[in-house]
Structure formats: C-alpha cells, structure tokens
Amino acid sequence: MRWCLAAVLAVAPCTTALAARRKKPRRPPRLALGAITERTTFAATLVERSDLRRRAHAPPERAICLADVRTNDAVVADHCWLRGADARQFDETPIDTSTTFDAEVETYRRRGRRDYRLARVDGVS
C-alpha cells in the first residue's frame, strides 16, 4: 500500500503541470480596435491566405490573415482574419507585404463576450 501512495504522489505534480500547460491563456478583447467608431485607414501585413470550409457540403470560402494591424502608427490588433468579399479585396496583394486599406470596425459576440473585427474593406493599395 505504501508504494501505491508514493507512486501517486510522484505522478501528481506532473499531471497538474500538464493540465496547467494545456490551458490556453485568455486574450483580452481588442479594446484598441473597439475604440474606433468611424471608417478609418488601416495598415497591415498580409501573412496568410487560405480557404475555409464552414460546412462539409458548402463551397470553400476565401480567408486571409493580416498581422500588426495599425492606424496612425499605433497597433490596434496583433492579427485579424477577413473572410469572403473582404478577403477577395486582397487578391492582387502578394504575401508578406504591407498594405493600406479603408475599413469599418464591427462588433460581434465570440464565446459569450464582445469582440471586434474589420468589415466593409475597400481601397486596398
């Protein structure tokens, strides 16, 4: 009986460390992005293109990831995903280049909390 208790005590710290490592840190909402209330010119770097498939029978939808989204040299989001028509605006833009564009900030619910995204993108250069 003593060796079983010793084995459990020896394994317990490892399992708690694994459980703590598995937990994803919660990122705060993009408050700086939420402070923008009107149409603004943003600058960002296009880092990834992909096709998302929302449902198995639906056609894939274009998606892009923009990194270091900033306005007036202040970073408002570390990254932002755009889908659909907003993503197709960046078809001519090569990957890993900085671009400027006009967009609006839109509020949406994500996992029970408020988050912000860019919407109605145009004027990509």
Side-chain angles (χ1 to χ4, degrees), residues 11 21 24 85 98:
V11 172
R21 206 175 341 158
K24 288 185 178 178
S98 185

Side-chain angles (χ1 to χ4, degrees), residues 10-30:
V11 172
C14 297
T15 57
T16 55
L18 284 174
R21 206 175 341 158
R22 271 189 231 123
K23 256 187 178 175
K24 288 185 178 178
R26 295 195 72 187
R27 286 189 305 200
R30 299 176 182 127

Side-chain angles (χ1 to χ4, degrees), residues 64-79:
I64 62 162
C65 182
L66 299 170
D68 298 328
V69 181
R70 58 194 179 282
T71 180
N72 298 333
D73 293 329
V75 175
V76 293
D78 60 346
H79 77 283

Side-chain angles (χ1 to χ4, degrees), residues 1 9 30 35 41 99 103 118 125:
M1 182 87 138
L9 291 176
R30 299 176 182 127
T41 301
T99 61
L118 297 176
S125 61

Side-chain angles (χ1 to χ4, degrees), residues 47-82:
V47 292
E48 186 178 342
R49 278 194 179 92
S50 67
D51 289 327
L52 295 176
R53 191 175 293 270
R54 287 296 203 191
R55 292 176 300 275
H57 63 276
E61 182 180 26
R62 175 81 42 90
I64 62 162
C65 182
L66 299 170
D68 298 328
V69 181
R70 58 194 179 282
T71 180
N72 298 333
D73 293 329
V75 175
V76 293
D78 60 346
H79 77 283
C80 188
W81 282 92
L82 298 176

Side-chain angles (χ1 to χ4, degrees), residues 54-122:
R54 287 296 203 191
R55 292 176 300 275
H57 63 276
E61 182 180 26
R62 175 81 42 90
I64 62 162
C65 182
L66 299 170
D68 298 328
V69 181
R70 58 194 179 282
T71 180
N72 298 333
D73 293 329
V75 175
V76 293
D78 60 346
H79 77 283
C80 188
W81 282 92
L82 298 176
R83 301 180 309 181
D86 293 334
R88 282 192 295 275
Q89 295 286 327
F90 291 87
D91 280 347
E92 307 294 319
T93 307
I95 291 185
D96 290 335
T97 58
S98 185
T99 61
T100 59
F101 57 94
D102 297 328
E104 295 178 14
V105 177
E106 189 176 80
T107 305
Y108 71 101
R109 302 292 292 176
R110 179 178 171 203
R111 296 184 187 144
R113 63 181 169 92
R114 183 180 3 193
D115 205 352
Y116 304 97
R117 66 178 163 215
L118 297 176
R120 291 175 280 292
V121 175
D122 66 351

